[in-house]
């Protein structure tokens, strides 16, 4: 495989991975769709740049350089889409610099339409590609000194340079104006990536200028192409890294939500039976299986929130079976198992739930006006601690001892 193709694959594969993730996540806002389409157009363009794809299109159609013009137009479009996304997320300030008006949709689309049309008109008159020494397809080298090829590459590179320069300025402006740590990091990385990307048009322009003026270019053909590939690689990876900062946070939160959902399941199953009949019916109709908790990733937060609420509702339902001395005795029993601090308090609540559920299931007398306001907090992290102690043999045994040693008397209405 040509060396240039190896470098290209290092950007093509991550681009398609980002596109796949964003499609799976079902983005809803216009900004999320804009950044997804930015990466989608870049991914297609990067794929068309691979030698094996270019050669396959030529073999199938018999048309030389068929992949080059679509690739260039897609890169131009992706730069305009990136600029549109960045412009939409910059926190507003009054007054805004006058140049920001040029980054809005209408000016961007006018620039893309004019330069895209000019690139398409000049392309058929450009010199044909050649095979580089490493075996890759080389379109840029034959345009050295070729007027039509230089015009095509100029109108291809010009909107790219303008869009990346404006994107870098907007990203760094957004990073300066925001207080959000993750968003600031996202904008800085994307700003640095766009700033590096502005070197690519300047690098190509210098080569074209030497071709038209007859000046000797200081780099060999191989060194020139290697440098262009490295600039593209650095730009795309930094933009991917910046746009993925929040995605990485989403992934970490998804892992945390999934762990909590699975950890709360035993406690949720135990307490679901004391919920009101309509909630019990919904539990049987819509409740997920353990396997679904483990593999179903959609709406994890909503399912976890519902599970937390139902556990807390169950604790409220069980409160009449918890007398005023039970929490203190449960704390002593939890300490007797060797627990301390927060773990001991979580075990105390697990013991209270055990005792109350046992008495509720046995139909034991209860207090109509409970003396203890025992209610679990709406906190998934804390409930996960309680759930981790709930099935413990030592905690179960302590709860049984307390349940057998007390007898609640029904308070007359």
């Amino acid at each position: 495989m040509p060396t240039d193709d190896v470098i290209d694959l290092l950007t093509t594969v991550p681009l398609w991975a980002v596109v796949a993730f964003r499609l799976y996540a079902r983005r809803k806002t216009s900004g999320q769709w804009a950044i997804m389409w930015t990466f989608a157009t870049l991914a297609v363009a990067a794929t068309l740049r691979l030698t094996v794809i270019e050669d396959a299109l030529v073999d199938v159609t018999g048309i030389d350089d068929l992949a080059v013009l679509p690739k260039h137009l897609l890169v131009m479009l992706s730069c305009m889409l990136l600029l549109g996304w960045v412009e939409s997320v910059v926190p507003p300030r009054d007054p805004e610099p006058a140049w920001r008006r040029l980054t809005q949709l209408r000016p961007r689309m006018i620039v893309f339409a004019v330069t895209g049309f000019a690139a398409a008109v000049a392309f058929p008159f450009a010199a044909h590609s050649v095979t580089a020494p490493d075996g890759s397809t080389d379109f840029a080298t034959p345009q050295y000194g070729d007027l039509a090829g230089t015009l095509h590459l100029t109108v291809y590179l010009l909107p790219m340079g303008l869009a990346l320069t404006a994107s870098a300025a907007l990203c760094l402006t957004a990073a300066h104006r925001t207080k959000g740590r993750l968003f600031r990091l996202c904008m800085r990385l994307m700003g640095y990536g766009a700033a590096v990307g502005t070197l690519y048009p300047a690098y190509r322009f210098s080569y074209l200028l030497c071709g038209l003026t007859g000046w000797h270019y200081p780099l060999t053909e191989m060194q020139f192409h290697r440098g262009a590939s490295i600039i593209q690689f650095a730009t795309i990876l930094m933009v991917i890294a910046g746009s993925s900062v929040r995605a990485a946070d989403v992934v970490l939160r998804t892992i945390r939500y999934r762990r909590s959902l699975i950890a709360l399941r035993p406690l949720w199953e135990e307490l679901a039976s004391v919920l009101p009949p309509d909630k019990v019916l919904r539990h049987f109709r819509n409740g997920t299986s353990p396997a679904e908790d483990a593999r179903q990733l959609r709406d994890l937060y909503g399912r976890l929130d519902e599970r937390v609420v139902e556990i807390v509702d169950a604790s409220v339902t069980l409160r009449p079976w918890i007398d005023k001395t039970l929490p203190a005795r449960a704390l002593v029993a939890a300490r007797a198992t060797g627990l301390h601090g927060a773990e001991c308090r979580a075990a105390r609540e697990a013991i209270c739930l055990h005792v109350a559920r046992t008495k509720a299931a046995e139909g034991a007398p209860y207090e109509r006006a409970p003396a203890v306001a025992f209610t679990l907090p709406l906190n998934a992290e804390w409930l996960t601690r309680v759930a981790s102690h709930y099935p413990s043999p030592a905690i179960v045994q302590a709860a049984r001892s307390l349940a057998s040693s007390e007898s609640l008397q029904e308070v007359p209405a």
Side-chain angles (χ1 to χ4, degrees):
M1 179 181 289
T3 305
D4 272 0
D5 280 9
V6 174
I7 298 176
D8 291 342
L9 279 174
L10 294 177
T11 56
T12 304
V13 173
L15 279 171
W16 281 116
V18 170
V19 171
F21 171 78
R22 289 182 175 274
L23 284 174
Y24 176 80
R26 292 183 180 177
R27 303 298 175 178
K28 296 178 178 63
T29 67
S30 58
Q32 290 169 338
W33 278 111
I35 194 65
M36 194 283 293
W37 283 115
T38 300
F39 286 124
T41 52
L42 270 179
V44 175
T47 303
L48 290 174
R49 192 168 184 266
L50 297 173
T51 302
V52 63
I53 301 297
E54 291 184 300
D55 291 344
L57 288 174
V58 172
D59 292 340
V60 171
T61 63
I63 303 174
D64 291 336
D65 298 333
L66 181 61
V68 176
L69 181 59
K71 173 183 65 180
H72 287 176
L73 293 176
L74 285 170
V75 172
M76 295 163 67
L77 178 60
S78 68
C79 290
M80 293 301 169
L81 289 172
L82 175 65
L83 177 57
W85 177 78
V86 174
E87 199 275 336
S88 70
V89 299
V90 176
R93 190 182 65 183
D94 190 26
E96 290 286 357
W99 62 266
R100 275 203 66 179
R101 291 197 298 270
L102 300 176
T103 64
Q104 295 176 0
L105 178 62
R106 183 181 176 83
R108 282 188 284 117
M109 290 300 101
I110 290 175
V111 171
F112 171 69
V114 171
T115 55
F117 178 77
V121 169
F123 180 76
F125 303 100
H128 291 297
S129 298
V130 297
T131 301
D134 67 348
S136 61
T137 302
D138 179 8
F139 177 79
T141 299
Q143 315 315 319
Y144 190 82
D146 183 87
L147 183 59
T150 299
L151 177 60
H152 168 78
L153 289 178
T154 298
V155 293
Y156 159 62
L157 295 170
L158 182 61
M160 184 191 308
L162 293 174
L164 289 174
T165 301
S167 294
L170 288 172
C171 284
L172 296 178
T173 299
H176 177 71
R177 292 183 185 179
T178 187
K179 295 181 179 180
R181 181 175 59 86
L182 286 177
F183 184 72
R184 187 166 59 246
L185 177 60
C186 165
M187 288 293 100
R188 282 179 178 169
L189 286 173
M190 293 192 71
Y192 298 150
V196 172
T198 60
L199 299 177
Y200 182 80
Y203 183 74
R204 289 286 191 183
F205 278 138
S206 67
Y207 180 79
L208 295 172
L209 181 63
C210 287
L212 289 179
T213 59
W215 295 344
H216 174 69
Y217 198 72
L219 298 178
T220 65
E221 179 183 326
M222 181 63 68
Q223 290 171 336
F224 171 74
H225 289 297
R226 196 63 43 78
S229 295
I230 290 173
I231 292 174
Q232 285 181 314
F233 172 73
T235 300
I236 292 175
L237 282 197
M238 290 181 75
V239 171
I240 289 176
S243 67
S244 300
V245 168
R246 285 186 164 184
D249 181 57
V250 169
V251 170
L252 293 176
R253 280 190 280 115
T254 297
I255 293 172
R256 188 167 66 249
Y257 293 157
R258 176 180 174 274
R259 287 178 177 172
S260 297
L261 192 71
I262 294 172
L264 288 177
R265 185 175 188 89
L267 180 61
W268 175 62
E269 289 179 334
E270 282 282 311
L271 301 184
S273 60
V274 305
L275 292 170
D278 58 333
K279 290 190 176 182
V280 174
L281 183 60
R282 187 177 64 184
H283 168 75
F284 281 115
R285 286 178 175 174
N286 305 322
T288 56
S289 66
E292 288 173 327
D293 280 351
R295 68 170 183 265
Q296 187 176 332
L297 300 181
R298 293 203 185 280
D299 194 28
L300 272 175
Y301 178 79
R303 288 155 52 206
L304 176 61
D305 182 64
E306 183 177 11
R307 187 160 295 182
V308 167
V309 169
E310 289 185 350
I311 290 174
V312 172
D313 286 348
S315 73
V316 174
T317 303
L318 291 174
R319 190 164 56 189
W321 284 275
I322 300 177
D323 69 52
K324 62 182 179 181
T325 65
L326 179 58
R329 290 184 291 121
L331 184 63
V332 172
R335 286 174 178 165
T337 64
L339 297 173
H340 302 280
E343 296 301 327
C344 185
R345 293 193 298 274
R348 174 194 62 187
E349 297 194 353
I351 291 173
C352 289
L353 291 173
H354 262 298
V355 172
R357 186 187 177 282
T358 299
K359 290 192 166 294
E362 293 174 351
Y366 60 91
E367 297 184 7
R368 294 181 183 270
V372 177
F374 179 88
T375 306
L376 296 174
L378 279 166
N379 185 310
E381 183 178 356
W382 177 252
L383 292 181
T384 301
R385 281 194 183 192
V386 176
S388 68
H389 291 290
Y390 192 83
S392 166
I395 297 302
V396 172
Q397 182 58 42
R400 287 174 178 170
S401 299
L402 291 176
S404 62
S405 64
E406 68 174 21
S407 176
L408 293 172
Q409 298 296 324
E410 183 175 356
V411 178

